[in-house]
Amino acid sequence: MPVVNVDPDELRRLTGHDEKSDEAFKEDLFALGLEFEGETEDGQLQLEFGPDRLDRLSVEGVARSLRYQYGDDRGVYVPNTNDPDWTVVVDDSVPDERPYVTGAVIRGVDLDDDALDSLIQLQEKLHATMGRKRAKGAIGIHDLTMLKGAGYGDDGGNSVTYRGVDPEGDRFVPLDADREMTPADVLESHPTGETYAPLVDEYDRYPAIYDELGLFSFPPVINGRRTEVSTDSRELFVELTGTDQWTIDRMCNVICYALDARGATVEEVTVEYPDERLVRPNFEVDEKTVAHERIEGMLGVDLDVEEAVDLFERSGLDADPEADGETVTYEVSIPPYRTDVLHPLDLIDDVGRAYGFNDLDPSYPDVSTVGGRHERSVHESAVRTSLVGLGFEDLLNFHMISEAENYDRMGIGPGTDVVGGGAPVTITEPYSEDYTMLRTWALPSLLMVLENNTHRAYPQDLAEVGLAAAADDGENTGVAERRTVAGAVARHDATYEDAKSRLAALCHDFDADLATPATTHPTFIDGRAADVVIDGETVGVIGEVHPRVLVEHDLELPVAAFEFRLDALA
Amino acid sequence: MRLPESQVAVLEAASATEQRTIEQVSEATGLKPETVTGAAFDLEDAGLIEVSERTDASTELTDEGHRYHEAELPEVSLHRAALDGAGGDDPGVDIGRAVAKSELGDRANIALSNYERSGYGTVSNGVVVPDEVDPGADEVTAALAAVADGDTPGDDLLDLLERRDLVVRQERTVRSVTLTDEGVTALMEGVEAAETVDRLTPELLTSDEWQDVEFADYNVEADAPERRGGKVHILRQTAERVKDTLVGMGFREMDGPHADSEFWINDCLFMPQDHPARTHWDQFALDVPPMGEIPADLLDRVRSAHLAGVGDDGQGYHSPWTEEVARGVDLRGHTTSLSMRYLSGHEIGDLEPPERFFSVEKVYRNDTLDPTHLLEFFQIEGWVMAENLSVRDLMGTFEEFYAQFGITDLRFKPHYNPYTEPSFELFGEHPETGDLIEIGNSGMFREEVLRPLGVECDVMAWGLALERLLMLMYGFDDIRDVHGTLCDLDLLRNTEVLH
């Protein structure tokens, strides 16, 4: 979940609430869904929240939410914007994979160190969340005064061009570098370039933005050094590129609102696609209809219309009530920095936060149902209880395992016709070599536990009732899942008989008819292994574990073991 | 009168007129002295004999003393050899020859060092010169004999024997028994032996002999050998307890596949296909063919919810959605896949509200392994389906559930999940430390989740890691000791049973 670092002094200043202590802020923020996680070294509050309200990814946004909650601000706020002077021309050469661009001009910013840090944090957090690590949307912020716009239109407007560039085409000096590089050089040898190279290195042409002087931005990878923003910057050019227009427009809005809160003025830009002209940022206000009854039903409380409107307004929304007989509905206006409102219910959630969910009285629902266990889990428990009664320690092991543990160390091979020899269900991109597949049987897990507990007292009689799986094209999931019962008796005088007597007792408990005709299985000693045949069906194997397998597991005493399908005891 | 066999023997061996020591009684009865002592005290308790004590100083031969008493002192042997060897012109005998002749071996040094002191002659320059002294009249030999006979030699000689470690002097308590008048009367009236037995045997029971036997006392305070029975795994025990609690609250248990399509795991949950959770949770994708069978109408409705939203005012995600992704098979990252299967009606048929369902089943997440995170863990999942549920109902249900585990004073932090709205993270007070701790995630399923599934009423749901509950209840700090092949058998064996 996103974490935003917020300077409490900045928060006091931006909310206008000098009297609020850090503790008071923490309480108020908890009610809004921002959880205090800790403090940074320089005393900033680390706040964690769900990735819905991305407008809160900066101290300015957090302060705005608090001012609404306190009732200092009400209703939808939309900043005034100046008419466009700059145009972003989208050239035909723009890579098809990243066709969209948007932007804004910001004038009259006053960036001290804190404000600049906050802006950089906001940019990074937006990249990490909505921007999907820059794949879906990437932000570049530039010092406008360092740009030289190409003349555009009749009235002296300026323009930059979003276009494609050959990887080895034009050269520029990227941020954090001191020499000119081609885009390909950047991907190859610049640290930031290396990080983001996977986003573009398959493209024939790379995305780039040019002004009159040449390439100044290489989205989504890095900006040019020429237009780098500093605390001296007073006018900014914000550009965003990506794979979805709506997404980058909303990211742009979040940035514009944060800078507006610092007293800057937002100026529109024109985006000139070959077949369409947009004016951005898009501060259009959405509307949704919410029924009063639904609010009351969801919160479980009665509300006056005035109360409901107040709660909407303290959520930064406007609500226009309309009565139709007994029924009241609200036309709710939603500000353009909101990225999370997909349905009227999302607005009811806002009303609940403003009301204070923790002020609601919990009530046990007056709904009567009959409970019960699933027969599979009841059966599993019963078998487990029997095993424990026979003296087995009940175990619970992982379903994921490695090929080495599942097959090699047990002396069997995948895809062979023995118990445990099923075809593996493998994990596509395993992170750990210890967990690369689903276990085809449970005995390897028991032997691993024995191996890890040789320093513990014997006898060690272990059993597990759990999941095993093998690849099976006949299944809808491609995976045949089954429950398996495994038992191992490890003691200095363990013999086949020890395993057989316990297995027989277990079968007896479940009125199952057991036979053990001789078989061969590489995990067990020849002549001391048998098929487990229950009610006439071969369902498993039993025997004395082969010394080769014991030694492989560093065991210095004999182990007799069995494993069979749980459903045989049904 | 019936008495244990040993007591009868002691009673009969005792005299009314003469004190008899335990040793004497032991000799007379053939019982071990400790048995006699035990019986004597029991008889004294019964008033049949009197036990008196005196402290005896006694002197006993050491093993070495015994050997010399039975054979001969080394210096005496040496003296005999020297007397034999000397004679004529030669008054002395070479030490080597004398030692060899006397067959002293490694006792030669003892013989030589006591030779002169015993007045048998002189030893110098490798030659033993014996005086004409009778080796048969050795006073140390006589003193050893006296000690052996229980007599006391003179103090000087006794000191000498003690210095040579040939005797030990010690004090000991000597107990003696005398018959009391009651004892005499009892004997005259007749005393029968009752048998003392160690084990109660089937023969004793079936023959009725148990009525005539005394059971030997055991040391009932002594430690018994350690014994270990099997035990249901503590995480399973915790799961059973959760299941019992939920069944008691009217919930029915769900069951379903661990390997499932992303459609059931994520798409039904209205998780956009490019949602960070679908990459960041890093579920385990499986190398198996795409899921073949997904109900076509459901697939269409879910796709539509993602792309266009649900309801007149709804809107979808600005994210790509493909069937190819939906059909990919993963290990489930949450058991909400089961909830989707049940709610859709494809698992056990269409459901009519009200319904309550739960599961306590394994889920798989590609997390970093640490003391509180495993790649596989158990998720408690529960939901309630009914007309007109409010968040107050949700809060009331959770208060009831968590109170069963000692967790009270719940707080609800508004939260965001793609599949619920409103959503809450649940916080509660730790039963031991009182700290505010996160104990679950919850919410009302979104209409974008429910409507494609064909559910027209409200459904509230919550989830919680079972391991978290276990660690709270047992105070474990490393889950790896409990769950998985690195488990510590001692920990599993020795953990207290909670009930």
Side-chain angles (χ1 to χ4, degrees), chain A residues 132 288-289 300 346 358 361 376-377 399-400 428 452 476, chain B residues 253 255 259 274 285 293 313 318 364 376 392 412 421 446 485:
Chain A
R132 304 285 191 258
K288 291 196 190 302
T289 308
D346 294 309
N358 282 290
D361 272 338
R376 199 267 302 154
S377 101
H399 299 157
M400 289 187 287
T428 308
N452 289 326
N476 196 24
Chain B
E253 189 173 16
D255 188 46
D274 70 345
E293 205 177 300
D313 260 355
H318 299 270
Y364 307 81
E376 302 179 15
R392 291 178 55 202
F412 298 85
E421 184 81 323
R446 294 185 71 98
T485 49

PDB file of all heavy atoms in Angstrom, chain A residues 132 288-289 300 346 358 361 376-377 399-400 428 452 476, chain B residues 253 255 259 274 285 293 313 318 364 376 392 412 421 446 485:
ATOM      1  N   ARG A 132       1.634   2.569 -12.725  1.00  0.00           N
ATOM      2  CA  ARG A 132       2.089   1.177 -12.870  1.00  0.00           C
ATOM      3  C   ARG A 132       3.582   1.136 -13.200  1.00  0.00           C
ATOM      4  O   ARG A 132       4.007   0.572 -14.208  1.00  0.00           O
ATOM      5  CB  ARG A 132       1.300   0.454 -13.958  1.00  0.00           C
ATOM      6  CG  ARG A 132      -0.206   0.458 -13.754  1.00  0.00           C
ATOM      7  CD  ARG A 132      -0.638  -0.511 -12.662  1.00  0.00           C
ATOM      8  NE  ARG A 132      -2.084  -0.695 -12.628  1.00  0.00           N
ATOM      9  CZ  ARG A 132      -2.903  -0.111 -11.742  1.00  0.00           C
ATOM     10  NH1 ARG A 132      -2.424   0.719 -10.830  1.00  0.00           N
ATOM     11  NH2 ARG A 132      -4.186  -0.356 -11.757  1.00  0.00           N
ATOM     12  N   LYS A 288     -22.776  11.790 -10.316  1.00  0.00           N
ATOM     13  CA  LYS A 288     -23.443  10.502 -10.133  1.00  0.00           C
ATOM     14  C   LYS A 288     -24.646  10.715  -9.223  1.00  0.00           C
ATOM     15  O   LYS A 288     -24.667  11.641  -8.408  1.00  0.00           O
ATOM     16  CB  LYS A 288     -22.499   9.470  -9.503  1.00  0.00           C
ATOM     17  CG  LYS A 288     -21.371   9.021 -10.430  1.00  0.00           C
ATOM     18  CD  LYS A 288     -20.712   7.763  -9.957  1.00  0.00           C
ATOM     19  CE  LYS A 288     -19.438   7.473 -10.743  1.00  0.00           C
ATOM     20  NZ  LYS A 288     -19.629   7.345 -12.208  1.00  0.00           N
ATOM     21  N   THR A 289     -25.626   9.817  -9.377  1.00  0.00           N
ATOM     22  CA  THR A 289     -26.856   9.925  -8.595  1.00  0.00           C
ATOM     23  C   THR A 289     -26.814   8.936  -7.436  1.00  0.00           C
ATOM     24  O   THR A 289     -26.526   7.751  -7.626  1.00  0.00           O
ATOM     25  CB  THR A 289     -28.080   9.603  -9.476  1.00  0.00           C
ATOM     26  OG1 THR A 289     -28.003  10.418 -10.634  1.00  0.00           O
ATOM     27  CG2 THR A 289     -29.364   9.868  -8.712  1.00  0.00           C
ATOM     28  N   GLY A 300     -26.742   2.191   8.101  1.00  0.00           N
ATOM     29  CA  GLY A 300     -27.583   1.686   9.186  1.00  0.00           C
ATOM     30  C   GLY A 300     -28.026   2.773  10.144  1.00  0.00           C
ATOM     31  O   GLY A 300     -28.277   2.496  11.313  1.00  0.00           O
ATOM     32  N   ASP A 346     -19.196   4.334  -3.973  1.00  0.00           N
ATOM     33  CA  ASP A 346     -17.934   4.935  -3.545  1.00  0.00           C
ATOM     34  C   ASP A 346     -18.191   6.274  -2.864  1.00  0.00           C
ATOM     35  O   ASP A 346     -17.421   6.709  -2.013  1.00  0.00           O
ATOM     36  CB  ASP A 346     -17.015   5.116  -4.755  1.00  0.00           C
ATOM     37  CG  ASP A 346     -16.596   3.775  -5.343  1.00  0.00           C
ATOM     38  OD1 ASP A 346     -16.134   2.914  -4.580  1.00  0.00           O
ATOM     39  OD2 ASP A 346     -16.767   3.587  -6.567  1.00  0.00           O
ATOM     40  N   ASN A 358     -16.429   4.784  13.052  1.00  0.00           N
ATOM     41  CA  ASN A 358     -16.289   4.270  14.419  1.00  0.00           C
ATOM     42  C   ASN A 358     -17.313   4.878  15.375  1.00  0.00           C
ATOM     43  O   ASN A 358     -17.394   4.475  16.530  1.00  0.00           O
ATOM     44  CB  ASN A 358     -14.859   4.476  14.918  1.00  0.00           C
ATOM     45  CG  ASN A 358     -13.924   3.437  14.327  1.00  0.00           C
ATOM     46  OD1 ASN A 358     -13.996   2.263  14.658  1.00  0.00           O
ATOM     47  ND2 ASN A 358     -13.069   3.878  13.418  1.00  0.00           N
ATOM     48  N   ASP A 361     -22.872   2.366  15.960  1.00  0.00           N
ATOM     49  CA  ASP A 361     -23.044   1.297  16.942  1.00  0.00           C
ATOM     50  C   ASP A 361     -23.099  -0.056  16.233  1.00  0.00           C
ATOM     51  O   ASP A 361     -23.997  -0.276  15.419  1.00  0.00           O
ATOM     52  CB  ASP A 361     -24.376   1.472  17.693  1.00  0.00           C
ATOM     53  CG  ASP A 361     -24.209   2.353  18.893  1.00  0.00           C
ATOM     54  OD1 ASP A 361     -23.057   2.464  19.374  1.00  0.00           O
ATOM     55  OD2 ASP A 361     -25.218   2.939  19.332  1.00  0.00           O
ATOM     56  N   ARG A 376     -15.885 -32.926   3.467  1.00  0.00           N
ATOM     57  CA  ARG A 376     -14.475 -33.222   3.251  1.00  0.00           C
ATOM     58  C   ARG A 376     -13.652 -32.837   4.480  1.00  0.00           C
ATOM     59  O   ARG A 376     -12.782 -33.588   4.922  1.00  0.00           O
ATOM     60  CB  ARG A 376     -13.980 -32.458   2.007  1.00  0.00           C
ATOM     61  CG  ARG A 376     -12.712 -32.976   1.397  1.00  0.00           C
ATOM     62  CD  ARG A 376     -11.486 -32.268   1.926  1.00  0.00           C
ATOM     63  NE  ARG A 376     -11.560 -30.828   1.698  1.00  0.00           N
ATOM     64  CZ  ARG A 376     -10.941 -29.937   2.447  1.00  0.00           C
ATOM     65  NH1 ARG A 376     -10.217 -30.314   3.481  1.00  0.00           N
ATOM     66  NH2 ARG A 376     -11.068 -28.638   2.213  1.00  0.00           N
ATOM     67  N   SER A 377     -13.921 -31.687   5.048  1.00  0.00           N
ATOM     68  CA  SER A 377     -13.122 -31.246   6.191  1.00  0.00           C
ATOM     69  C   SER A 377     -13.465 -32.058   7.442  1.00  0.00           C
ATOM     70  O   SER A 377     -12.602 -32.299   8.285  1.00  0.00           O
ATOM     71  CB  SER A 377     -13.265 -29.734   6.397  1.00  0.00           C
ATOM     72  OG  SER A 377     -14.139 -29.397   7.430  1.00  0.00           O
ATOM     73  N   HIS A 399       2.567 -27.233   0.748  1.00  0.00           N
ATOM     74  CA  HIS A 399       2.172 -27.949  -0.454  1.00  0.00           C
ATOM     75  C   HIS A 399       3.184 -27.732  -1.566  1.00  0.00           C
ATOM     76  O   HIS A 399       3.260 -28.510  -2.491  1.00  0.00           O
ATOM     77  CB  HIS A 399       0.782 -27.484  -0.910  1.00  0.00           C
ATOM     78  CG  HIS A 399      -0.284 -27.754   0.119  1.00  0.00           C
ATOM     79  ND1 HIS A 399      -1.463 -27.066   0.180  1.00  0.00           N
ATOM     80  CD2 HIS A 399      -0.314 -28.631   1.157  1.00  0.00           C
ATOM     81  CE1 HIS A 399      -2.192 -27.513   1.199  1.00  0.00           C
ATOM     82  NE2 HIS A 399      -1.511 -28.443   1.803  1.00  0.00           N
ATOM     83  N   MET A 400       3.938 -26.653  -1.461  1.00  0.00           N
ATOM     84  CA  MET A 400       4.971 -26.401  -2.458  1.00  0.00           C
ATOM     85  C   MET A 400       6.276 -27.051  -2.000  1.00  0.00           C
ATOM     86  O   MET A 400       6.579 -27.096  -0.811  1.00  0.00           O
ATOM     87  CB  MET A 400       5.152 -24.898  -2.675  1.00  0.00           C
ATOM     88  CG  MET A 400       3.973 -24.265  -3.395  1.00  0.00           C
ATOM     89  SD  MET A 400       4.260 -22.543  -3.834  1.00  0.00           S
ATOM     90  CE  MET A 400       4.133 -21.777  -2.241  1.00  0.00           C
ATOM     91  N   THR A 428       5.446 -21.252 -12.589  1.00  0.00           N
ATOM     92  CA  THR A 428       6.010 -20.677 -13.811  1.00  0.00           C
ATOM     93  C   THR A 428       7.318 -19.942 -13.567  1.00  0.00           C
ATOM     94  O   THR A 428       8.309 -20.189 -14.232  1.00  0.00           O
ATOM     95  CB  THR A 428       4.998 -19.718 -14.460  1.00  0.00           C
ATOM     96  OG1 THR A 428       3.773 -20.417 -14.591  1.00  0.00           O
ATOM     97  CG2 THR A 428       5.492 -19.286 -15.803  1.00  0.00           C
ATOM     98  N   ASN A 452      15.069 -32.681   9.787  1.00  0.00           N
ATOM     99  CA  ASN A 452      15.312 -31.444  10.529  1.00  0.00           C
ATOM    100  C   ASN A 452      15.179 -31.620  12.037  1.00  0.00           C
ATOM    101  O   ASN A 452      15.369 -30.663  12.790  1.00  0.00           O
ATOM    102  CB  ASN A 452      14.336 -30.359  10.068  1.00  0.00           C
ATOM    103  CG  ASN A 452      14.656 -29.869   8.669  1.00  0.00           C
ATOM    104  OD1 ASN A 452      15.826 -29.823   8.292  1.00  0.00           O
ATOM    105  ND2 ASN A 452      13.643 -29.535   7.897  1.00  0.00           N
ATOM    106  N   ASN A 476     -10.314 -29.413 -15.298  1.00  0.00           N
ATOM    107  CA  ASN A 476     -10.555 -28.070 -15.827  1.00  0.00           C
ATOM    108  C   ASN A 476      -9.395 -27.137 -15.484  1.00  0.00           C
ATOM    109  O   ASN A 476      -9.026 -26.261 -16.259  1.00  0.00           O
ATOM    110  CB  ASN A 476     -11.872 -27.532 -15.257  1.00  0.00           C
ATOM    111  CG  ASN A 476     -12.371 -26.329 -16.042  1.00  0.00           C
ATOM    112  OD1 ASN A 476     -12.028 -26.157 -17.221  1.00  0.00           O
ATOM    113  ND2 ASN A 476     -13.166 -25.506 -15.388  1.00  0.00           N
TER     114      ASN A 476
ATOM    115  N   GLU B 253     -19.492 -24.296   5.736  1.00  0.00           N
ATOM    116  CA  GLU B 253     -18.116 -24.339   5.247  1.00  0.00           C
ATOM    117  C   GLU B 253     -18.063 -24.532   3.729  1.00  0.00           C
ATOM    118  O   GLU B 253     -18.804 -25.334   3.170  1.00  0.00           O
ATOM    119  CB  GLU B 253     -17.362 -25.488   5.931  1.00  0.00           C
ATOM    120  CG  GLU B 253     -15.865 -25.484   5.651  1.00  0.00           C
ATOM    121  CD  GLU B 253     -15.119 -26.526   6.465  1.00  0.00           C
ATOM    122  OE1 GLU B 253     -15.778 -27.440   6.996  1.00  0.00           O
ATOM    123  OE2 GLU B 253     -13.886 -26.432   6.555  1.00  0.00           O
ATOM    124  N   ASP B 255     -15.639 -25.328   0.160  1.00  0.00           N
ATOM    125  CA  ASP B 255     -14.493 -26.131  -0.247  1.00  0.00           C
ATOM    126  C   ASP B 255     -14.280 -25.894  -1.734  1.00  0.00           C
ATOM    127  O   ASP B 255     -15.247 -25.661  -2.467  1.00  0.00           O
ATOM    128  CB  ASP B 255     -14.793 -27.613   0.019  1.00  0.00           C
ATOM    129  CG  ASP B 255     -13.565 -28.482  -0.199  1.00  0.00           C
ATOM    130  OD1 ASP B 255     -12.489 -28.089   0.287  1.00  0.00           O
ATOM    131  OD2 ASP B 255     -13.682 -29.536  -0.845  1.00  0.00           O
ATOM    132  N   ALA B 259      -5.662 -24.711  -6.975  1.00  0.00           N
ATOM    133  CA  ALA B 259      -5.216 -24.172  -8.260  1.00  0.00           C
ATOM    134  C   ALA B 259      -6.473 -23.740  -9.001  1.00  0.00           C
ATOM    135  O   ALA B 259      -7.379 -24.537  -9.208  1.00  0.00           O
ATOM    136  CB  ALA B 259      -4.460 -25.241  -9.043  1.00  0.00           C
ATOM    137  N   ASP B 274      -4.490  -5.001 -14.550  1.00  0.00           N
ATOM    138  CA  ASP B 274      -3.166  -4.394 -14.353  1.00  0.00           C
ATOM    139  C   ASP B 274      -3.017  -3.872 -12.919  1.00  0.00           C
ATOM    140  O   ASP B 274      -2.154  -3.050 -12.653  1.00  0.00           O
ATOM    141  CB  ASP B 274      -2.916  -3.282 -15.374  1.00  0.00           C
ATOM    142  CG  ASP B 274      -3.780  -2.043 -15.133  1.00  0.00           C
ATOM    143  OD1 ASP B 274      -4.766  -2.150 -14.354  1.00  0.00           O
ATOM    144  OD2 ASP B 274      -3.480  -0.990 -15.717  1.00  0.00           O
ATOM    145  N   ALA B 285       1.930 -18.423 -10.535  1.00  0.00           N
ATOM    146  CA  ALA B 285       1.314 -18.915 -11.768  1.00  0.00           C
ATOM    147  C   ALA B 285       1.793 -20.341 -12.017  1.00  0.00           C
ATOM    148  O   ALA B 285       2.949 -20.669 -11.741  1.00  0.00           O
ATOM    149  CB  ALA B 285       1.703 -18.021 -12.934  1.00  0.00           C
ATOM    150  N   GLU B 293     -12.985 -24.417 -19.103  1.00  0.00           N
ATOM    151  CA  GLU B 293     -14.406 -24.203 -18.879  1.00  0.00           C
ATOM    152  C   GLU B 293     -14.657 -23.077 -17.888  1.00  0.00           C
ATOM    153  O   GLU B 293     -14.381 -23.210 -16.697  1.00  0.00           O
ATOM    154  CB  GLU B 293     -15.005 -25.501 -18.339  1.00  0.00           C
ATOM    155  CG  GLU B 293     -16.467 -25.664 -18.606  1.00  0.00           C
ATOM    156  CD  GLU B 293     -16.943 -27.009 -18.086  1.00  0.00           C
ATOM    157  OE1 GLU B 293     -16.413 -28.041 -18.559  1.00  0.00           O
ATOM    158  OE2 GLU B 293     -17.783 -27.014 -17.174  1.00  0.00           O
ATOM    159  N   ASP B 313     -24.965   4.553 -13.332  1.00  0.00           N
ATOM    160  CA  ASP B 313     -23.923   5.553 -13.084  1.00  0.00           C
ATOM    161  C   ASP B 313     -22.547   4.930 -12.941  1.00  0.00           C
ATOM    162  O   ASP B 313     -21.614   5.575 -12.515  1.00  0.00           O
ATOM    163  CB  ASP B 313     -24.262   6.304 -11.785  1.00  0.00           C
ATOM    164  CG  ASP B 313     -24.909   7.646 -12.107  1.00  0.00           C
ATOM    165  OD1 ASP B 313     -24.974   7.976 -13.306  1.00  0.00           O
ATOM    166  OD2 ASP B 313     -25.326   8.319 -11.158  1.00  0.00           O
ATOM    167  N   HIS B 318      -9.994   1.897 -16.416  1.00  0.00           N
ATOM    168  CA  HIS B 318      -9.270   2.291 -17.618  1.00  0.00           C
ATOM    169  C   HIS B 318      -8.052   1.381 -17.729  1.00  0.00           C
ATOM    170  O   HIS B 318      -6.921   1.818 -17.678  1.00  0.00           O
ATOM    171  CB  HIS B 318      -8.902   3.769 -17.545  1.00  0.00           C
ATOM    172  CG  HIS B 318     -10.115   4.632 -17.452  1.00  0.00           C
ATOM    173  ND1 HIS B 318     -10.757   5.133 -18.560  1.00  0.00           N
ATOM    174  CD2 HIS B 318     -10.845   5.033 -16.391  1.00  0.00           C
ATOM    175  CE1 HIS B 318     -11.817   5.822 -18.197  1.00  0.00           C
ATOM    176  NE2 HIS B 318     -11.896   5.775 -16.876  1.00  0.00           N
ATOM    177  N   TYR B 364      -1.765 -18.871  -1.108  1.00  0.00           N
ATOM    178  CA  TYR B 364      -0.364 -18.869  -1.528  1.00  0.00           C
ATOM    179  C   TYR B 364       0.022 -17.467  -1.984  1.00  0.00           C
ATOM    180  O   TYR B 364      -0.622 -16.911  -2.874  1.00  0.00           O
ATOM    181  CB  TYR B 364      -0.160 -19.842  -2.684  1.00  0.00           C
ATOM    182  CG  TYR B 364      -0.673 -21.238  -2.382  1.00  0.00           C
ATOM    183  CD1 TYR B 364      -2.038 -21.542  -2.499  1.00  0.00           C
ATOM    184  CD2 TYR B 364       0.180 -22.239  -1.966  1.00  0.00           C
ATOM    185  CE1 TYR B 364      -2.515 -22.805  -2.217  1.00  0.00           C
ATOM    186  CE2 TYR B 364      -0.286 -23.506  -1.671  1.00  0.00           C
ATOM    187  CZ  TYR B 364      -1.646 -23.787  -1.806  1.00  0.00           C
ATOM    188  OH  TYR B 364      -2.114 -25.031  -1.514  1.00  0.00           O
ATOM    189  N   GLU B 376       2.920 -19.963   2.168  1.00  0.00           N
ATOM    190  CA  GLU B 376       1.602 -20.596   2.272  1.00  0.00           C
ATOM    191  C   GLU B 376       1.070 -20.307   3.660  1.00  0.00           C
ATOM    192  O   GLU B 376       1.793 -20.464   4.637  1.00  0.00           O
ATOM    193  CB  GLU B 376       1.727 -22.126   2.129  1.00  0.00           C
ATOM    194  CG  GLU B 376       2.358 -22.576   0.843  1.00  0.00           C
ATOM    195  CD  GLU B 376       2.476 -24.094   0.768  1.00  0.00           C
ATOM    196  OE1 GLU B 376       1.834 -24.790   1.570  1.00  0.00           O
ATOM    197  OE2 GLU B 376       3.228 -24.568  -0.089  1.00  0.00           O
ATOM    198  N   ARG B 392     -23.102  -1.539  10.102  1.00  0.00           N
ATOM    199  CA  ARG B 392     -23.287  -1.841  11.528  1.00  0.00           C
ATOM    200  C   ARG B 392     -23.430  -3.348  11.728  1.00  0.00           C
ATOM    201  O   ARG B 392     -22.933  -3.905  12.704  1.00  0.00           O
ATOM    202  CB  ARG B 392     -24.509  -1.120  12.080  1.00  0.00           C
ATOM    203  CG  ARG B 392     -24.321   0.399  12.147  1.00  0.00           C
ATOM    204  CD  ARG B 392     -25.575   1.081  12.659  1.00  0.00           C
ATOM    205  NE  ARG B 392     -25.980   0.535  13.953  1.00  0.00           N
ATOM    206  CZ  ARG B 392     -27.221   0.626  14.442  1.00  0.00           C
ATOM    207  NH1 ARG B 392     -28.163   1.224  13.730  1.00  0.00           N
ATOM    208  NH2 ARG B 392     -27.492   0.137  15.621  1.00  0.00           N
ATOM    209  N   PHE B 412     -12.389   0.269  13.457  1.00  0.00           N
ATOM    210  CA  PHE B 412     -12.570   0.044  12.024  1.00  0.00           C
ATOM    211  C   PHE B 412     -11.891   1.176  11.268  1.00  0.00           C
ATOM    212  O   PHE B 412     -12.310   2.323  11.341  1.00  0.00           O
ATOM    213  CB  PHE B 412     -14.054  -0.012  11.687  1.00  0.00           C
ATOM    214  CG  PHE B 412     -14.751  -1.159  12.398  1.00  0.00           C
ATOM    215  CD1 PHE B 412     -15.216  -1.010  13.705  1.00  0.00           C
ATOM    216  CD2 PHE B 412     -14.894  -2.379  11.769  1.00  0.00           C
ATOM    217  CE1 PHE B 412     -15.832  -2.069  14.355  1.00  0.00           C
ATOM    218  CE2 PHE B 412     -15.509  -3.442  12.413  1.00  0.00           C
ATOM    219  CZ  PHE B 412     -15.979  -3.290  13.715  1.00  0.00           C
ATOM    220  N   GLU B 421     -16.682  -2.155  -0.832  1.00  0.00           N
ATOM    221  CA  GLU B 421     -16.884  -0.729  -0.566  1.00  0.00           C
ATOM    222  C   GLU B 421     -18.181  -0.594   0.238  1.00  0.00           C
ATOM    223  O   GLU B 421     -19.231  -1.074  -0.233  1.00  0.00           O
ATOM    224  CB  GLU B 421     -16.972   0.054  -1.883  1.00  0.00           C
ATOM    225  CG  GLU B 421     -17.081   1.542  -1.708  1.00  0.00           C
ATOM    226  CD  GLU B 421     -15.734   2.236  -1.455  1.00  0.00           C
ATOM    227  OE1 GLU B 421     -14.875   1.655  -0.747  1.00  0.00           O
ATOM    228  OE2 GLU B 421     -15.540   3.343  -1.963  1.00  0.00           O
ATOM    229  N   ARG B 446     -18.663  -5.126  -3.574  1.00  0.00           N
ATOM    230  CA  ARG B 446     -19.140  -4.117  -4.518  1.00  0.00           C
ATOM    231  C   ARG B 446     -20.216  -4.688  -5.423  1.00  0.00           C
ATOM    232  O   ARG B 446     -20.264  -5.895  -5.678  1.00  0.00           O
ATOM    233  CB  ARG B 446     -17.970  -3.637  -5.390  1.00  0.00           C
ATOM    234  CG  ARG B 446     -16.893  -2.879  -4.678  1.00  0.00           C
ATOM    235  CD  ARG B 446     -15.869  -2.368  -5.699  1.00  0.00           C
ATOM    236  NE  ARG B 446     -16.430  -1.297  -6.494  1.00  0.00           N
ATOM    237  CZ  ARG B 446     -16.231  -0.001  -6.254  1.00  0.00           C
ATOM    238  NH1 ARG B 446     -15.465   0.369  -5.243  1.00  0.00           N
ATOM    239  NH2 ARG B 446     -16.780   0.912  -7.016  1.00  0.00           N
ATOM    240  N   THR B 485       8.146 -27.753   6.933  1.00  0.00           N
ATOM    241  CA  THR B 485       9.111 -28.815   7.207  1.00  0.00           C
ATOM    242  C   THR B 485      10.246 -28.372   8.126  1.00  0.00           C
ATOM    243  O   THR B 485      11.042 -29.194   8.551  1.00  0.00           O
ATOM    244  CB  THR B 485       9.707 -29.325   5.886  1.00  0.00           C
ATOM    245  OG1 THR B 485      10.130 -28.198   5.120  1.00  0.00           O
ATOM    246  CG2 THR B 485       8.699 -30.111   5.095  1.00  0.00           C
TER     247      THR B 485
END
